[in-house]
Amino acid sequence: MDRLSTNQRAAILSFIILIAGLLIWEAAIPGQKAATELTEYERLTGGGAPKAGVPPPSQVMQKAWEQLSNPFYDAGPNDKGIGIQIAYSLYRVLTGYFLAALVAIPIGFLIGMSPVAYKALNPFIQVLRPISPLAWMPLALFIIQDSNASAIFVIFICSIWPMLINTAFGVAGVRSDWVNVARTHELGALKTALTVILPAAAPTIVTGMRISIGIAWLVIVAAEMLVGGTGIGYYVWNEWNNLDLTSVIFSILMIGVVGMALDAAFGRLQRAVAYAE
Amino acid sequence: MSNAFLSIENLTQRFPAGKGESLTVFENASFGIEKGEFVCILGHSGCGKSTIMNILAGLAEPTSGAVLMDGKEVSGPSLDRGVVFQNYSLLPWLSALKNVTFGVAARYPEWSRSKVVEHSTQYLAMVGLEGDTIHRKPAQLSGGMRQRVSIARAFANHPKLLLLDEPFGALDALTRGTIQDELLKIWSGTSQTVFMITHDIDEAILLADRILLMTNGPYARVAESVEITIPRPRKRDQIIDHPNYYAIRNHLVHFLATRSKELAGQQTGSDSNTPQTVRIDLVEETKGDESDDPRHGAHLRAVNE
């Protein structure tokens, strides 16, 4: 018999872990007692009301099926399909993220090319970078006076640093030989930046972009819990207020799946710009 | 000398060495290169060969002195001066072909895309790279192939002056031999002016019309200009039988082993350190005297021009 490839064996193991995990979860939820077994006293004191326990995976899967079979329904402000909620979150993340890229990559280029700019801007970066993005929220809400725009601003401010620092690092690390090739071919500054420095620094820049999108997706959930209205973060919190833990677990899983998809997209981009020296 | 195609005049390079002191790598170096000439420069590490190369390429500025090409002063890099770097300096994200078209498109911006590709392919074929190989990335090529691409890129641009900075330094001896032959072949077809740094005496004799010898630094200077009196076309297995070969080789070895040290830091007395021209030609000499041992008198025939 042919031995299975590493990938096949890994897939089988993953599947076994999944099934085992779900079975343990299912078994760990104690079965609800049937109402008929309750004594009269228990019925009178309300002890017979089913406790709001953690739902078993079977219920979560049922919920997932319901939600995913109709992801874009809109039945009022507090009852929208999961697809609509995720779309809102993605819209905020991508808007904030691309605004950040527009700022971070050119400034990163500047910092990477000019030691003076690096030294001048470094103290600001070092102070601003460790600030939790949510700490900006009150200030953003006060200045912008719009909760949606504030959420986008928070994404912007948290996405900017990894891209800025990685771009600067990548640009500063471009081998002088390659820059010399550009110089001996009389390329202008812009052409050198686009045809030599950008492709040379691209793997580092895209790594920064990948880190940023991961952080942005982490932050959006918390930001939407604060600003409310729409989005996957708001959805989680709203379902918690409804004590609908099945939906909470389902939406947590969806956050993970979307985050994975975003990361995979940037992983693909990273492979596209990678080169071997 | 000042009428030469390339004329290096009173070139001096000093680097700051801390505490306000400075290190003079070379001082008042002057020499010329004629059009179509293949000139090698030999010298120990630290004598400033690479610095001279970088100044000629326009990648570095001399402390004082000037480089004139075609009567015009050289300042900054230019497509008129092509460079082949020791570490190939290919752009690793481009295929071999794209690395060449990159240069050709910069040199001839008015050319159509297909003409650029055709021209580049032709030059890659001249160095023995054809077929699928030219679509590979540098990382998928051997060291020798990479250096071939680099040479093709330089020649395809038809620079007025080609600068080779130890182009075979990182290659094994056998590959080096093959590429030297290819370099000779491509050079003889174009009559390109070439200035090359090397550490390899045999390589210099095989390739060069003239070898410039540098004394050790600091205060290095180009002390001698040795003419290679071996007719072309040269083949590596034939030139070693030429009567001038060992005479020239011994002269070079003597220079590098002992005289480069003795002459280090010495001034010639004149302001301009023009190299002494050395011509060793035992073929002419032995026409009258067959018994003369070619290994004698190698550097006795130094003549000052």
Side-chain angles (χ1 to χ4, degrees):
Chain A
M1 192 184 116
D2 288 331
R3 279 181 67 91
L4 296 169
S5 76
T6 314
N7 282 346
Q8 285 169 324
R9 278 182 284 163
I12 291 170
L13 187 58
S14 289
F15 189 70
I16 292 171
I17 292 171
L18 176 70
I19 297 297
L22 290 176
L23 284 176
I24 292 168
W25 178 6
E26 186 85 43
I29 312 290
Q32 309 286 348
K33 283 181 192 167
T36 51
E37 289 173 20
L38 294 174
T39 61
E40 189 176 358
Y41 175 75
E42 279 172 327
R43 269 200 301 279
L44 288 171
T45 55
K51 277 188 182 167
V54 176
S58 52
Q59 271 184 40
V60 175
M61 279 187 260
Q62 202 186 342
K63 185 80 188 175
W65 178 252
E66 271 170 43
Q67 285 283 345
L68 292 175
S69 53
N70 185 16
F72 296 108
Y73 75 90
D74 187 352
N78 277 340
D79 191 7
K80 294 185 202 304
I82 188 80
I84 293 183
Q85 306 289 19
I86 288 175
Y88 272 112
S89 297
L90 278 177
Y91 153 72
R92 291 191 185 113
V93 163
L94 294 180
T95 311
Y97 178 80
F98 281 110
L99 288 174
L102 283 182
V103 174
I105 293 173
I107 295 182
F109 243 82
L110 179 72
I111 294 175
M113 304 269 264
S114 149
V116 177
Y118 171 76
K119 288 197 169 153
L121 291 174
N122 195 37
F124 299 103
I125 296 172
Q126 294 309 332
V127 169
L128 294 174
R129 192 170 59 105
I131 299 172
S132 164
L134 291 173
W136 293 96
M137 188 61 100
L139 193 61
L141 285 168
F142 177 74
I143 293 172
I144 305 172
Q145 307 243 325
D146 177 85
S147 61
N148 187 42
S150 298
I152 292 173
F153 173 78
V154 166
I155 295 303
F156 168 82
I157 206 82
C158 77
S159 311
I160 209 165
W161 310 115
M163 284 196 269
L164 182 68
I165 290 164
N166 267 50
T167 306
F169 184 71
V171 168
V174 172
R175 291 209 348 222
S176 58
D177 300 334
W178 300 336
V179 179
N180 281 344
V181 169
R183 291 179 66 197
T184 53
H185 287 88
E186 287 187 44
L187 298 189
L190 188 65
K191 196 131 195 248
T192 304
L194 292 178
T195 59
V196 177
I197 294 174
L198 188 60
T204 324
I205 296 175
V206 174
T207 303
M209 294 175 80
R210 195 173 176 183
I211 297 169
S212 276
I213 197 78
I215 292 176
W217 190 245
L218 290 180
V219 168
I220 193 64
V221 175
E224 285 171 344
M225 284 179 177
L226 279 176
V227 298
T230 47
I232 189 79
Y234 167 72
Y235 180 81
V236 174
W237 203 250
N238 195 34
E239 296 303 331
W240 161 238
N241 286 335
N242 295 340
L243 279 179
D244 183 353
L245 279 182
T246 318
S247 292
V248 168
I249 294 173
F250 166 65
S251 48
I252 288 173
L253 287 176
M254 288 310 291
I255 293 171
V257 169
V258 174
M260 185 180 76
L262 287 173
D263 187 65
F266 278 89
R268 194 168 273 245
L269 181 62
Q270 206 169 22
R271 277 194 299 280
V273 297
Y275 57 83
E277 274 185 43
Chain B
M1 275 286 179
S2 58
N3 298 327
F5 165 67
L6 181 80
S7 154
I8 285 86
E9 293 174 359
N10 300 322
L11 216 55
T12 302
Q13 182 73 55
R14 292 189 180 88
F15 291 119
K19 294 181 190 169
E21 288 173 28
S22 70
L23 174 76
T24 304
V25 186
F26 49 83
E27 201 168 41
N28 289 327
S30 301
F31 57 92
I33 297 178
E34 299 300 328
K35 207 173 181 81
E37 210 176 11
F38 198 128
V39 175
C40 281
I41 190 158
L42 272 174
H44 287 275
S45 299
C47 70
K49 299 186 301 288
S50 289
T51 312
I52 290 183
M53 178 67 82
N54 282 338
I55 292 169
L56 291 182
L59 295 171
E61 286 283 317
T63 310
S64 68
V67 176
L68 299 173
M69 190 165 86
D70 262 348
K72 272 178 283 180
E73 186 165 353
V74 160
S75 74
S78 154
L79 283 162
D80 285 339
R81 280 163 279 127
V83 191
V84 174
F85 299 94
Q86 180 180 6
N87 49 17
Y88 329 126
S89 288
L90 299 175
L91 304 177
W93 55 90
L94 297 178
S95 68
L97 177 63
K98 291 250 172 76
N99 263 290
V100 180
T101 58
F102 172 89
V104 176
R107 177 73 173 179
Y108 302 104
E110 71 281 2
W111 282 11
S112 70
R113 185 77 204 148
S114 59
K115 190 172 179 191
V116 168
V117 171
E118 191 194 334
H119 182 81
S120 307
T121 315
Q122 186 194 335
Y123 272 84
L124 281 165
M126 278 190 199
V127 291
L129 293 177
E130 283 170 292
D132 281 347
T133 318
I134 63 172
H135 298 295
R136 287 201 215 147
K137 301 269 169 73
Q140 300 162 301
L141 299 172
S142 66
M145 284 174 168
R146 287 184 217 177
Q147 194 55 287
R148 286 186 173 104
V149 176
S150 186
I151 289 169
R153 177 172 71 187
F155 272 94
N157 269 4
H158 306 305
K160 288 182 182 167
L161 173 66
L162 188 59
L163 301 164
L164 307 176
D165 187 357
E166 280 189 63
F168 311 124
L171 302 177
D172 64 272
L174 292 176
T175 314
R176 186 185 300 190
T178 328
I179 305 187
Q180 283 164 359
D181 292 341
E182 268 157 12
L183 179 66
L184 266 185
K185 204 171 67 192
I186 192 170
W187 174 76
S188 56
T190 55
S191 65
Q192 182 81 56
T193 312
V194 181
F195 181 72
M196 171 166 154
I197 293 181
T198 178
H199 276 132
D200 184 334
I201 293 175
D202 296 300
E203 173 175 288
I205 298 175
L206 174 69
L207 298 173
D209 293 315
R210 207 145 59 76
I211 296 176
L212 298 175
L213 293 170
M214 282 190 87
T215 63
N216 291 0
Y219 292 97
R221 61 194 177 87
V222 181
E224 288 185 4
S225 158
V226 181
E227 283 182 38
I228 307 302
T229 47
I230 300 175
R232 292 182 191 272
R234 298 180 193 151
K235 287 255 188 298
R236 69 180 59 256
D237 51 343
Q238 290 165 7
I239 57 167
I240 50 172
D241 296 329
H242 193 278
N244 290 346
Y245 184 82
Y246 278 100
I248 294 169
R249 195 177 190 282
N250 290 350
H251 178 80
L252 298 176
V253 171
H254 277 301
F255 182 93
L256 291 175
T258 50
R259 294 181 53 230
S260 63
K261 259 177 261 148
E262 292 163 15
L263 292 169
Q266 283 183 25
Q267 301 295 309
T268 45
S270 62
D271 288 338
S272 179
N273 287 332
T274 315
Q276 203 174 40
T277 302
V278 177
R279 185 180 166 83
I280 303 167
D281 193 347
L282 301 169
V283 178
E284 279 178 12
E285 187 180 274
T286 51
K287 272 172 193 162
D289 185 3
E290 294 288 330
S291 65
D292 193 9
D293 183 354
R295 255 146 265 204
H296 275 166
H299 52 258
L300 298 178
R301 283 188 54 83
V303 282
N304 208 343
E305 271 185 7

